[in-house]
Amino acid sequence: MKLPALILLLAASPALHAISFQGSSFKAIEVQVEASTGLDGVWVLRDAAGMEMLSDGGATASWSRFGASGAAYGEEIASGAASIRLGGGDCGISVDDGTRARHYWIVDYSRHELELDGAAAADGDYGCDRVLLTINGSAGAIHYYSINGRELTLDRDITVEYPTLVADRDNATFTPANASVSLPFIAGSTHVAAPLCDTRFTISGDRFLREWDDEQQAVTAEYRAIAVDAVTTATQAERDAENEQKPGSEGLGGSAPCEIEFTAATSDAAIFNEWQISRTPEFDILDNSFNSSDCSITFTENGTFYVRFTAANADGSCEYTGDTYVVSVGESKLLCPNAFTPYTSPGVNDEWRVSYQSIIEFKCDIFNRWGAKMTTLTHPSQGWDGKYNGKNAGPGVYYYVIRARGADGKDYNLSGDINIIGSRENNYSNTQQ
């Protein structure tokens, strides 16, 4: 059995005299409030009925009680007294020690008792992003009043906690996490952010019961998640061919063929996954789609493409549409040099290569002046080092014939001469003699 105890709590400012309460084993809880209220403090008592409020050090003072209308409408209840006995209910108390009047609001918690008899979670009327929590019991607002009669609300700090998933965008995945929401009060029901996994909601409180070691708790039945979220990435395969031209703009795309890996990590409720490709940012017409969370796409046509990821839950009631990736594929280009020096300056201009952009088909045959084929190149990144059968072909004029196609549909039928310039080597094949 708890014995009555005297609890003394000082006001925040040392310039103000202290008050104390006695008559209960539960401590009086002081709540700091804004100076604009004109109050020197708000005190919450577990049960105000029969409790005694004492002035600083037993000094005598005049005491007044006021209500929602403000301190100006207070009624004197004692004069020249060191303490007063409180009745039940909330009220304002003014204490005037002859130097200054100080004003307090007293909250009788027994009139606002938190009762958590159970809770339920359901899909609410705020779409897929919110869950409706219904509380069985009482957790209403606790009001207090400034000295001018302005209604204010104490924060009861009723907490709602539940497991969910959080997007880890750096690692393109979802990780388990605990969500926590603090509510000043609950008027029957409230909405919280929807979880991304099946979960149970735990409601506990309030701040005053926690301090009195009497916190209450209610847990919902398991809630089946319907909200859908995703994290997407797009990674383009890099090529390091020195003779391939790179368009100046940054971002995805460039010189075709562009190989891009698209990936998506989804929350638990996502059942239907689709990557969509369109030539219009509105996606009113789809060029292609892939029913998968991951896909690799090679862009071989010139132009601008828009790619996005979509997902939905089992019944399609909740959907996710990701950000749009823009892939810009440049028009084709193909230029052929007419000379190179494979023997005289190692590492400098020692291979014959075309300069190209967005070439998706390519074949180049190189001949000497008698029509003997020196080599065949099957990709525009390849070059000819001036050798034939492992030996230097020798200086002179050679000829190329190119058949190619660009990503923009342009056909290239090119031919011309190649000059091997200068040589101090005598180890030539007989192809140019």
Side-chain angles (χ1 to χ4, degrees), residues 16 24 48 64 77 86 91 93 98 110 178 272 295 298 309 361 367 399 421:
L16 302 180
S24 174
S64 299
I77 55 176
L86 297 171
C91 67
I93 297 292
S110 67
N178 290 320
F272 302 104
C295 65
T298 301
F309 178 74
E361 295 180 15
F367 303 91
Y399 304 93
I421 300 174

Side-chain angles (χ1 to χ4, degrees), residues 12 62 72 114-115 134 142 170 190 250 266 295-296 317 331 349 355 382 398-400:
S62 295
L114 176 73
E115 296 179 3
T134 302
I142 300 177
D170 292 336
T190 189
E250 297 181 356
T266 59
C295 65
S296 181
S317 59
E331 62 183 10
N349 196 31
S355 176
Q382 296 174 339
Y398 298 81
Y399 304 93
Y400 64 83

